[in-house]
Amino acid sequence: MKLLTIQELSASDPLSQLLGTWSQEINIWSILFKFAVCFLFASLIGIERSNKRHSAGFRTFILVTLSSNIAASLDMYFMINFGAQIPVISACLVVALAIISANTLLYSSKSQIKGLTTAIALWTMTFIGLAIGGGFYTVGFIAGALLFIILNVLPALETYLKDRSNHFEIHLELKNKTDLQNFTATIRKLGLHIDDIEMNPAYVNSGLSVYTISLSIVSQELKKYKTHSEIIEALSSLDYINCIEEI
């Protein structure tokens, strides 16, 4: 079985064939075109992340995508002209971006991992940049479009499904630690079951007793008629609760 070269593989790309042979080569026009495509997709994803006030935003996504595009283009150049066998630059970049993506993860005071979606989006944009830099335009366009849809359309569906799940977690702030017994008794009467409860050490000496609690809805009436937000709104009316919200 004959192994195809990277140039032969890129030449088989449908969009590359549509654009012409210039897009399959390493020349000024193909490089500028790749930069433009990477800039477009990175801008769309970066704006979406920035609008939601995430740590990696507009400029970060553009820089990550352009750098991966350059890495793939350089590797392709060395393979075509100097017989290189391994895309060393791209491999090094993937390792570097893995470290950068990991550093976008943060742990909040509410025991939540923040930045996971942004980290994965950065990782994905790295590979989109590599695909476009290597001349696989179809893969880059489809992956970029899917990533944009995932980040902009699916959150609404995710929220809908999450609000109708029988399991959810809450961040609970009680005015006094002795009120925990009253709270647990109340939610059991409502038809909720405590799966796990953990005291949050970030609020020590704050005057509040703060907990992260995992709950399950066991009451058939609650399952049928109540959403998480309605349950939390009802619980927030209790006098001894300073703050309660879903996480």
Side-chain angles (χ1 to χ4, degrees):
M1 182 178 177
K2 180 186 176 182
L3 294 177
L4 299 177
T5 65
I6 190 169
Q7 191 173 21
E8 290 171 331
L9 286 171
S10 65
S12 66
D13 181 83
L15 279 178
S16 180
Q17 292 175 353
L18 183 64
L19 291 168
T21 56
W22 65 269
S23 65
Q24 303 161 16
E25 302 169 350
I26 301 297
N27 56 63
I28 186 62
W29 300 114
S30 66
I31 291 172
L32 289 176
F33 179 73
K34 290 172 183 178
F35 279 176
V37 173
C38 287
F39 186 87
L40 171 63
F41 281 120
S43 297
L44 290 174
I45 303 303
I47 289 171
E48 188 276 338
R49 292 286 88 187
S50 293
N51 285 339
K52 295 181 180 177
R53 303 185 66 80
H54 291 282
S55 55
F58 183 65
R59 291 177 299 170
T60 305
F61 274 89
I62 291 174
L63 290 172
V64 164
T65 311
L66 288 180
S67 63
S68 60
N69 175 42
I70 294 170
S73 296
L74 286 173
D75 278 328
M76 189 173 179
Y77 176 80
F78 291 135
M79 287 180 173
I80 293 171
N81 294 281
F82 298 99
Q85 299 297 317
I86 301 173
V88 178
I89 301 175
S90 298
C92 292
L93 183 76
V94 168
V95 174
L97 263 297
I99 297 172
I100 293 174
S101 297
N103 288 334
T104 64
L105 298 177
L106 299 171
Y107 291 86
S108 73
S109 59
K110 298 177 183 178
S111 300
Q112 287 181 287
I113 298 177
K114 291 184 174 291
L116 185 58
T117 300
T118 300
I120 298 300
L122 274 175
W123 185 253
T124 305
M125 286 305 302
T126 301
F127 286 100
I128 290 174
L130 289 172
I132 294 171
F136 300 100
Y137 301 103
T138 303
V139 174
F141 269 92
I142 293 175
L146 286 175
L147 180 60
F148 184 78
I149 291 171
I150 289 168
L151 294 176
N152 286 276
V153 178
L154 294 190
L157 176 60
E158 187 177 29
T159 300
Y160 175 84
L161 295 174
K162 183 179 179 182
D163 203 36
R164 281 152 182 78
S165 169
N166 291 331
H167 307 278
F168 63 104
E169 284 188 327
I170 60 171
H171 169 79
L172 175 68
E173 298 178 10
L174 298 175
K175 296 177 181 178
N176 194 302
K177 63 181 180 180
T178 58
D179 294 322
L180 182 60
Q181 184 175 358
N182 293 331
F183 177 78
T184 56
T186 300
I187 62 173
R188 284 169 180 157
K189 289 180 182 178
L190 289 174
L192 297 167
H193 178 266
I194 297 176
D195 298 320
D196 184 55
I197 183 168
E198 180 181 350
M199 188 171 186
N200 196 322
Y203 292 83
V204 174
N205 300 323
S206 67
L208 297 171
S209 293
V210 182
Y211 304 88
T212 299
I213 304 177
S214 299
L215 299 171
S216 293
I217 303 174
V218 294
S219 167
Q220 293 301 320
E221 182 179 356
L222 281 179
K223 289 180 181 180
K224 188 175 181 180
Y225 297 108
K226 298 295 181 183
T227 64
H228 299 173
S229 56
E230 291 174 321
I231 294 172
I232 290 172
E233 184 179 358
L235 290 172
S236 65
S237 63
L238 296 173
D239 293 335
Y240 51 79
I241 292 181
N242 182 65
C243 177
I244 181 172
E245 57 186 357
E246 185 174 4
I247 58 176

